[in-house]
């Protein structure tokens, strides 16, 4: 039970709390009443679009449903009712402007619309003046993002993104040119400009623009498509309105342009028309079989499913209807935040503008227009929109270029393929995944997902297979030769020299002839389609034209292509496309050669003096080695000292001719002789070849051996008129212009013969095909060194021309079947000097560096043989003389030495005498000594008789 004190305290606390609540209530009540009084009971927005249109019908229902949903939602606008005023623009810019002015007279705080980009351009000026935000759900012209229209807010994605998607589809399939078929208004022109920019970034282009006026009938569309069909591109991008775009396909089908080989890509207008038609879309499907189309991607959600189900009771909804629904919610949320903003006080007021008034009694009622005083604050609230609608996350981000425009985040599209009575999705596209078969993950901040690459490469982009027009899955080539009766305008160099390559020919049906023209005509004949061509001579006929200028004319569009002896070099490939080379080429050096007169000492020139000395020394050295190795064994190497010296010299030099009559009998001698004869064989063969070359080849008169010697000299260098050799030598090799001389080919011979000292040139740098033709009839000149560039001749076409690819394949076919060589032999047959080789020009003399290996082998063999021989001699000498005694005792007593003769000298003389003995005598003496020692050992006594005297090796008589 509580005490009285506790009850008293509790009662006091309750009274205090109640008092505080009353105070707070009294304080907050005036503020709440003031806020409630500040909120207007009704806020009006306008809706500006064409009622009777595919987009308008869907948008009208969506806007009305959105207004109803906003008024039922207690969290938005609370006690303020949102009302909408609809105005019909009638697809007219003028009517749309009048309707916009009528809306402004009724004090709307925002306008949902306009639908048309053209009307948006005009009405935006009115909105800027009256400060009324425009929330457009269908105006997609990229130009509306300009800072010129600050009160224009695009509540959908502009055409820059869907045109980027179209460009990715084109690039994914390898097409380089497209034909744009579009309605000629702000919407159509702006979209095609965006398409051109997107294609250019991927090295493709819009090759033809077929614009038709709004409301064009089917006959006018057919005439337009006939002209477009005369162009080479078979990839058509249709950018029209949903109300008239289907007539384009109906006209195309009547012209049989929906057949195999054609590609048709429609922007999101076609999906809007099909979605709005619902079950009635099957009626139009027959005209659009195989068409690719885009549809703005909106992720599936409960809110979207609920809205679609509510629409189904009345009509079908398309993507523009979904964006119109979210536009109303965007305006409602912005108005709600604006009314809650303390800075604005929740006031909605309009004031007159002194610049807007009726003049001279005009009845237009312009003075009734009022400026929305809080329009700028409301615009800021709109730009801060951040909620999830039926189209996904609704949020703006400023353009990266700082132009002041803003776009919705997460632009994404579905790529759909029409087939049968329905459509199927073949890919998705978003600004960060590009083409993909997976649905894009739309992020709240609009940026790429973590670890993603915002520059997805073309190889990473994916699409499912497409059923193209003509009910085929084979990818169309995308182009054909234009059927407009206009032949290709082909530039041909008007050569004045070496007309075998290409030049004017009045007797030819083409007006030109030559090797290059025949190759081109043969390649064109292999193409699966006709290519009419008109050859136009380029040049004045006085001197060969500049080939750089000819290539530039192709790049500028003056010529469609260039056929001739055109080298494929780096600076030319930057502006045109070349075919596969049909001739291998490269820069070479041509110099003068002269016959070298032989003299009485020409036979000595194959070898250098040092080489001759080494050869002579080795002949004597090998002869001495063989004599040493054969002296004890071979009677032919014995005799008097004079005879033995003669034998050494004779044997040494006779081996040069393999005419030695002495036979070798010792193993070591034969070993050395075999190696030496091999060396002699190589020396003889080399001498013979070198002497033949020296006596027959021609020698360079200028001393230039190749590129290095040419660059190190200061002599003038010639080059052909119009050749790229001049720029190459100046830019790549650093040759000053003062050394270069421009020459016609028929002036080559005279300039080379005069030489640098007489106003000529030391050498000429030109391409190999010209040089080969020049040398075939001018035997006194030769090429020196190697080719120092590698290139070829090809046919030049404008950038991204598909003919360049097809002709490259045809040239490879000509090369494989031999036709290319037959054309070459027809025009470029070898001349009288073609068989002469240039390899022997300036033959060098042979030196020791070419043979030191052979001499090393021979020297080592001789050294090894002598080492083995002398080791064997010392071993025998020890056996022969090793047991002799100093006192004369023993089987072979040594004679008494003179006191004046040293013992070492006697031993050397004994050794020399022993070496001079025959091998058979030495063996008999050693064997006899061994027998006597054996007999003495068995008889118990020793022999005192002396062995054979060294002074008389042939006598063995006892002392």
């Amino acid at each position: 039970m509580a005490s009285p004190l506790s009850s008293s305290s509790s009662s006091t606390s309750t009274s205090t709390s109640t008092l505080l609540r009353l105070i707070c209530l009294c304080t907050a009540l005036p503020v709440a009443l003031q806020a409630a009084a500040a909120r207007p009971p009704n806020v009006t927005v306008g809706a500006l679009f064409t009622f009777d249109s595919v987009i308008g019908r869907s948008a009208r229902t969506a806007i009305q449903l959105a207004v109803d949903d906003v008024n039922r939602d207690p969290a938005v606008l609370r006690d303020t009712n949102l009302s909408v005023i609809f105005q019909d623009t009638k697809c007219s810019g003028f009517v749309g402007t009048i309707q916009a002015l009528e809306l402004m007279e009724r004090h709307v705080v925002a306008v949902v619309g306009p639908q048309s980009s053209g009307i948006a351009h005009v009405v935006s000026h009115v909105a800027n003046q009256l400060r009324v935000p425009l929330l457009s759900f269908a105006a997609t012209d990229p130009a509306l993002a300009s800072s010129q229209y600050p009160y224009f807010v695009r509540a959908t994605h502009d055409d820059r993104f869907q045109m980027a998607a179209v460009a990715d589809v084109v690039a994914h399939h390898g097409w380089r040119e497209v034909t744009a078929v579009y309605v000629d208004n702000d919407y159509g022109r702006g979209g095609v400009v965006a398409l051109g920019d997107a294609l250019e970034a991927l090295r493709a282009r819009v090759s033809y623009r077929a614009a038709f006026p709004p409301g064009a009938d089917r006959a006018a569309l057919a005439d337009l498509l006939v002209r477009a069909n005369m162009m080479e591109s078979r990839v058509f991008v249709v950018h029209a309105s949903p109300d008239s775009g289907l007539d384009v396909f109906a006209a195309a089908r009547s012209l049989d342009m929906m057949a195999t080989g054609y590609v048709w890509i429609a922007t999101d207008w076609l999906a809007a028309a099909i979605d709005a038609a619902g079950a009635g879309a099957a009626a139009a499907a027959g005209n659009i079989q195989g068409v690719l189309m885009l549809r703005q991607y909106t992720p599936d959600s409960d809110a979207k499913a609920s809205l679609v189900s509510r629409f189904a009771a009345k009509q079908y909804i398309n993507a523009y209807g979904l964006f119109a629904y979210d536009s109303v919610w965007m305006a409602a949320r912005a108005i709600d935040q604006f009314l809650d903003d303390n800075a604005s006080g929740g006031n909605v007021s309009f004031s007159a503008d002194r610049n807007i008034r009726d003049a001279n009694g005009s009845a237009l009622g312009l003075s009734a227009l009022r400026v929305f005083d809080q329009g700028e604050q409301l615009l800021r609230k709109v730009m801060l929109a951040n909620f999830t609608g039926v189209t996904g996350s609704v949020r703006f981000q400023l353009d990266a270029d700082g132009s002041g425009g803003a776009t919705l985040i997460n632009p994404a599209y579905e790529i759909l393929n029409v087939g049968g009575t329905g459509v199927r999705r073949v890919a998705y596209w978003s600004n960060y995944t590009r083409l993909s078969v997976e649905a894009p993950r739309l992020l709240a901040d609009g940026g790429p997902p973590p670890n993603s690459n915002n520059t997805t490469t073309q190889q990473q982009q994916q699409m499912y297979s497409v059923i193209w027009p003509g009910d085929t899955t084979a990818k169309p080539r995308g182009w054909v030769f234009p059927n407009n009766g206009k032949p290709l305008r082909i530039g041909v160099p008007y050569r004045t020299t070496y007309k075998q390559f290409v030049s004017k020919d009045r007797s030819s049906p083409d007006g030109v002839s030559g090797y290059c023209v025949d190759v081109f005509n043969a390649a064109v004949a292999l193409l699966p389609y006709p290519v009419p061509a008109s050859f136009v001579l380029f040049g004045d006929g006085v001197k060969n034209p500049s080939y750089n200028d000819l290539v530039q004319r192709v790049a500028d569009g003056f010529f469609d292509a260039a056929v001739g002896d055109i080298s494929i070099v780096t600076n030319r490939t930057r502006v045109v496309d070349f075919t596969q080379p049909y001739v291998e080429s490269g820069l070479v050096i041509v110099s003068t050669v002269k016959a070298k007169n032989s003299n009485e000492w020409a036979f000595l020139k194959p070898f250098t003096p040092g080489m001759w000395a080494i050869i002579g020394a080795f002949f004597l050295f090998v002869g001495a080695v063989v004599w040493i190795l054969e002296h004890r064994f071979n009677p032919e190497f014995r005799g008097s000292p004079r005879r033995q010296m003669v034998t050494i010299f004779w044997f040494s030099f006779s081996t040069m001719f393999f005419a030695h009559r002495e036979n070798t009998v010792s193993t070591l001698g034969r070993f050395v002789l075999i190696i030496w004869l091999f060396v002699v064989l190589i020396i003889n063969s080399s001498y013979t070849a070198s002497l033949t070359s020296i006596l027959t080849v021609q020698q360079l008169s200028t001393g230039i051996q190749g590129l290095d010697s040419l660059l190190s000299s200061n002599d003038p260098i010639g080059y052909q008129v119009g050749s790229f050799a001049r720029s190459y030598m100046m830019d790549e090799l650093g040759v000053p212009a003062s050394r270069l001389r421009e020459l016609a080919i028929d002036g080559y011979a005279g300039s080379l013969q005069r030489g640098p000292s007489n106003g000529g040139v030391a050498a000429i740098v030109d391409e190999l095909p010209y040089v080969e033709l020049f040398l075939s009839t001018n035997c006194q000149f030769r090429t020196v060194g190697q080719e120092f560039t590698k290139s070829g001749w090809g046919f030049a076409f404008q950038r991204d021309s598909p003919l360049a690819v097809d002709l490259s394949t045809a040239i490879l076919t000509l090369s494989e079947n031999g036709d290319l060589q037959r054309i070459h032999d027809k025009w470029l047959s070898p001349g009288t000097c073609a068989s002469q080789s240039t390899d022997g020009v300036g033959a060098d003399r042979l030196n020791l560096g070419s043979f030191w290996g052979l001499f090393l082998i021979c020297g080592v063999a001789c050294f090894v043989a002598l080492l083995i021989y002398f080791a064997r001699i010392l071993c025998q000498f020890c056996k022969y003389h090793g047991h002799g005694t100093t006192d004369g005792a023993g089987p072979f007593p040594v004679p008494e030495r003179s006191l004046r003769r040293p013992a070492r000298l006697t031993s050397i003389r004994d050794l020399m005498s022993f070496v001079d003995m025959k091998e058979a005598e030495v063996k008999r003496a050693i064997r006899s000594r061994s027998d006597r020692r054996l007999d003495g050992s068995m008889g118990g006594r020793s022999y005192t008789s002396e062995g054979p005297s060294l002074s008389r090796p042939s006598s063995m008589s006892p002392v």
Side-chain angles (χ1 to χ4, degrees):
M1 181 177 180
S3 65
L5 181 60
S6 299
S7 293
S8 176
S9 300
S10 176
S11 177
T12 304
S13 176
T14 301
S15 301
T16 305
S17 175
T18 302
L19 180 61
L20 291 174
R21 290 193 186 99
L22 290 173
I23 294 174
C24 292
L25 183 60
C26 293
T27 305
L29 184 58
V31 177
L33 292 175
Q34 181 181 0
R39 272 185 175 271
N42 185 75
V43 176
T44 304
V45 296
L48 193 64
F49 55 90
T50 300
F51 293 171
D52 188 18
S53 66
V54 171
I55 295 177
R57 286 189 292 269
S58 180
R60 184 183 181 99
T61 304
I63 292 173
Q64 188 60 61
L65 289 176
V67 171
D68 295 341
D69 292 343
V70 167
N71 289 328
R72 283 196 301 264
D73 192 340
V76 180
L77 291 179
R78 295 194 295 276
D79 297 328
T80 300
N81 183 70
L82 180 66
S83 60
V84 60
I85 301 174
F86 294 96
Q87 293 286 6
D88 189 1
T89 60
K90 304 290 186 181
C91 284
S92 169
F94 176 75
V95 175
T97 304
I98 299 301
Q99 296 297 320
L101 293 175
E102 290 183 0
L103 275 179
M104 302 306 178
E105 288 181 349
R106 305 176 71 170
H107 296 172
V108 294
V109 296
V111 175
V112 178
Q115 168 189 335
S116 167
S117 296
I119 296 176
H121 278 283
V122 178
V123 174
S124 292
H125 294 286
V126 178
N128 292 346
Q129 189 68 28
L130 301 180
R131 302 178 190 173
V132 178
L134 300 178
L135 283 68
S136 178
F137 55 88
T140 56
D141 181 10
L144 289 169
S146 170
S147 58
Q148 181 183 7
Y149 310 113
Y151 281 85
F152 177 83
V153 179
R154 197 193 314 272
T156 186
H157 303 299
D158 73 41
D159 284 337
R160 289 177 301 170
F161 299 108
Q162 75 163 333
M163 292 307 177
V166 171
D168 280 347
V169 171
V170 170
H172 178 77
H173 292 91
W175 301 314
R176 293 302 180 193
E177 294 185 358
V178 303
T179 296
V181 181
Y182 63 99
V183 59
D184 194 9
N185 56 19
D186 292 322
Y187 158 75
R189 289 189 296 269
V192 171
V193 169
L195 175 63
D197 294 341
L199 289 173
E200 185 178 358
L202 299 176
R203 291 196 61 188
R205 66 189 180 100
V206 178
S207 60
Y208 184 73
R209 300 188 178 192
F212 60 90
D217 57 18
R218 189 167 297 183
L221 293 174
D223 291 340
L224 179 73
L225 292 179
V226 167
R227 292 193 299 272
N229 200 40
M230 291 180 179
M231 303 298 109
E232 66 180 19
S233 174
R234 285 297 177 263
V235 181
F236 294 88
V237 177
V238 183
H239 189 53
S241 68
D243 301 283
S244 60
L246 288 173
D247 291 337
V248 174
F249 289 105
R253 187 182 183 188
S254 67
L255 296 172
D256 199 25
M257 294 176 63
M258 300 299 296
T260 303
Y262 287 86
V263 177
W264 290 89
I265 303 174
T267 53
D268 59 0
W269 66 266
L270 181 56
I274 293 177
D275 292 341
N287 293 333
I288 55 176
Q289 291 296 305
V291 173
L292 284 177
M293 64 180 180
L294 278 69
R295 179 168 62 194
Q296 298 188 66
Y297 173 68
T298 55
D300 294 332
S301 63
D302 294 339
K304 176 182 174 182
S306 174
L307 181 63
V308 171
S309 64
R310 293 161 63 190
F311 252 85
K314 300 179 180 181
Q315 63 183 65
Y316 292 95
I317 189 172
N318 53 34
Y320 289 106
L322 298 178
F323 282 103
Y325 182 87
D326 277 352
S327 299
V328 175
W329 275 95
M330 186 187 304
R333 290 176 180 274
I335 294 171
D336 184 55
Q337 294 175 9
F338 160 71
L339 295 178
D340 286 342
D341 192 349
N342 292 329
S344 65
N347 294 325
V348 176
S349 60
F350 297 84
S351 60
D353 188 344
R354 291 180 299 177
N355 296 323
I356 304 175
R357 64 181 183 273
D358 295 318
N360 300 326
S362 173
L364 292 177
L366 296 179
S367 58
L369 297 176
R370 294 290 184 267
V371 176
F372 180 23
D373 296 330
Q374 293 81 29
E376 186 175 353
Q377 290 91 325
L378 180 60
L379 177 63
R380 285 199 297 266
K381 297 300 181 182
V382 171
M383 302 301 292
L384 294 175
N386 187 3
F387 65 96
T388 301
V390 295
T391 60
S393 180
V394 179
R395 182 180 173 184
F396 291 99
Q397 59 183 3
L398 293 177
D399 287 349
D401 58 3
S403 62
T407 56
L408 286 177
I409 63 171
N410 299 324
Y413 292 86
E414 296 175 273
I415 313 297
L416 306 175
N417 183 207
V418 180
T421 58
V423 297
R424 66 185 185 95
R425 185 187 302 111
V426 294
Y428 294 94
W429 185 94
S430 72
N431 63 332
Y432 58 85
T433 61
R434 316 300 287 185
L435 287 179
S436 174
V437 295
E438 297 181 359
R441 182 160 58 93
L442 305 182
L443 303 181
D445 60 357
N451 302 324
S452 71
N453 184 0
N454 199 34
T455 57
T456 305
T457 62
Q458 189 64 31
Q459 289 75 13
Q460 294 172 327
Q461 301 190 40
Q462 298 177 350
M463 284 185 67
Y464 289 122
S465 61
V466 177
I467 299 176
W468 304 101
D471 196 23
T472 177
T473 57
K475 185 189 75 173
R477 185 170 58 189
W479 76 280
V480 296
F481 193 81
N483 188 25
N484 55 9
K486 180 182 177 182
L488 286 180
R489 182 178 171 85
I490 298 179
V492 176
Y494 192 172
R495 291 194 61 87
T496 59
T497 56
Y498 286 171
K499 299 181 179 180
Q500 297 96 319
F501 293 110
V502 60
S503 191
K504 183 179 180 180
D505 186 357
R506 297 182 183 274
S507 61
S508 172
D510 297 326
V512 293
S513 64
Y515 168 67
C516 302
V517 176
D518 280 5
V519 172
F520 177 78
N521 289 333
V524 168
L526 295 177
L527 298 180
Y529 47 86
V531 181
S534 172
F535 294 95
V536 180
L537 290 171
F538 178 76
D540 55 11
V542 178
K543 65 177 183 178
N544 294 334
S546 171
Y547 283 55
N548 286 335
D549 292 344
L550 174 59
V551 171
Q552 190 60 48
R553 290 293 184 92
V554 176
D556 295 340
F558 184 80
F559 292 125
D560 296 311
V563 171
D565 46 335
I566 305 171
S567 296
I568 305 173
V569 293
T570 304
N571 63 324
R572 295 174 183 172
T573 58
R574 294 192 181 103
V575 295
V576 297
D577 285 345
F578 281 95
T579 62
Q580 170 80 15
Y582 60 91
V583 170
E584 296 297 327
S585 180
L587 293 178
V588 294
I589 302 172
V590 181
S591 184
T592 306
V593 294
K594 63 180 180 180
K596 187 68 175 180
N597 296 326
S598 60
N599 55 30
E600 63 275 12
W601 300 105
F603 67 91
L604 295 176
K605 291 187 177 181
F607 295 140
T608 60
M611 183 65 182
W612 280 118
I614 293 296
I615 291 175
F618 255 83
F619 270 112
L620 295 177
F621 172 68
V622 172
V625 169
V626 173
W627 176 83
I628 292 173
L629 298 177
E630 293 288 321
H631 177 68
R632 299 184 66 194
F633 299 91
N634 195 339
E636 295 182 357
F637 287 87
R638 301 185 65 83
S640 64
R642 179 177 177 275
R643 179 185 175 187
Q644 294 185 49
M645 290 298 297
V646 171
T647 300
I648 291 173
F649 278 96
W650 164 253
F651 181 84
S652 299
F653 291 100
S654 64
T655 55
M656 176 181 293
F657 311 103
F658 304 98
H660 53 282
R661 65 169 181 261
E662 294 82 8
N663 295 320
T664 55
V665 296
S666 67
T667 302
L668 294 175
R670 290 174 177 176
F671 169 71
V672 171
L673 184 61
I674 287 175
I675 294 178
W676 174 243
L677 290 180
F678 175 73
V679 174
V680 170
L681 175 64
I682 299 300
I683 293 176
N684 281 345
S685 301
S686 302
Y687 175 85
T688 303
S690 181
L691 181 61
T692 303
S693 176
I694 289 175
L695 294 178
T696 58
V697 303
Q698 296 173 314
Q699 302 294 315
L700 295 173
S701 63
T702 60
I704 295 176
Q705 302 291 332
L707 180 61
D708 293 337
S709 57
L710 178 66
L711 297 178
S712 61
S713 69
N714 293 319
D715 295 332
I717 305 170
Y719 66 92
Q720 186 183 173
V721 176
S723 174
F724 75 96
R726 172 185 172 87
S727 60
Y728 180 85
M729 287 188 287
M730 293 178 60
D731 300 337
E732 303 296 334
L733 303 180
V735 179
S738 58
R739 290 185 59 190
L740 302 179
R741 304 288 186 271
E742 187 178 62
L743 301 173
I745 292 183
D746 52 10
Y748 279 7
S751 296
L752 288 171
Q753 289 172 344
R754 289 195 302 272
S757 58
N758 296 319
V761 295
I764 288 174
V765 174
D766 205 351
E767 296 179 69
L768 184 59
Y770 303 121
V771 170
E772 289 177 342
L773 205 56
F774 171 72
L775 296 181
S776 66
T777 55
N778 293 272
C779 305
Q780 67 272 34
F781 309 107
R782 289 290 181 270
T783 59
V784 295
Q786 302 294 325
E787 292 182 54
F788 51 91
T789 65
K790 290 293 183 182
S791 61
W793 291 355
F795 305 130
F797 287 86
Q798 294 178 9
R799 294 300 297 269
D800 300 320
S801 172
L803 266 177
V805 178
D806 287 358
L807 277 179
S808 295
T809 304
I811 290 172
L812 291 176
T813 303
L814 290 176
S815 177
E816 292 170 357
N817 61 22
D819 288 344
L820 196 61
Q821 184 62 42
R822 283 189 284 271
I823 298 173
H824 179 276
D825 296 340
K826 170 187 174 182
W827 289 97
L828 308 176
S829 57
T832 57
C833 302
S835 60
Q836 297 188 11
S837 173
T838 62
D839 296 338
V841 174
D844 294 330
R845 303 173 71 182
L846 300 175
N847 54 35
L848 181 60
S850 303
F851 301 96
W852 70 269
L854 288 173
F855 287 124
L856 177 63
I857 293 173
C858 184
V860 170
C862 293
F863 176 76
V864 171
L866 289 175
L867 184 64
I868 295 174
Y869 175 78
F870 282 115
R872 183 172 176 273
I873 289 295
L874 290 176
C875 182
Q876 287 181 340
F877 181 73
C878 290
K879 291 180 180 181
Y880 180 82
H881 200 65
H883 295 280
T885 60
T886 58
D887 56 359
F892 299 99
V894 180
E896 183 179 358
R897 298 181 178 90
S898 174
L899 294 177
R900 291 175 298 178
R901 182 181 301 168
R904 178 175 299 176
L905 181 59
T906 302
S907 299
I908 293 175
R909 294 188 61 184
D910 291 346
L911 177 62
M912 296 300 297
S913 299
F914 178 79
V915 170
D916 190 56
M917 292 175 62
K918 292 182 178 181
E919 182 73 13
E921 294 178 353
V922 172
K923 288 183 177 180
R924 281 199 305 270
I926 293 175
R927 188 182 307 111
S928 176
R929 188 189 64 172
S930 299
D931 293 343
R932 291 183 181 183
R933 289 182 61 190
L934 181 61
D935 294 343
S937 174
M938 294 177 61
R941 62 182 183 275
S942 60
Y943 293 93
T944 58
S945 61
E946 293 182 353
S949 174
L950 295 177
S951 61
R952 293 182 300 169
S954 61
S955 174
M956 295 292 293
S957 58
V959 177

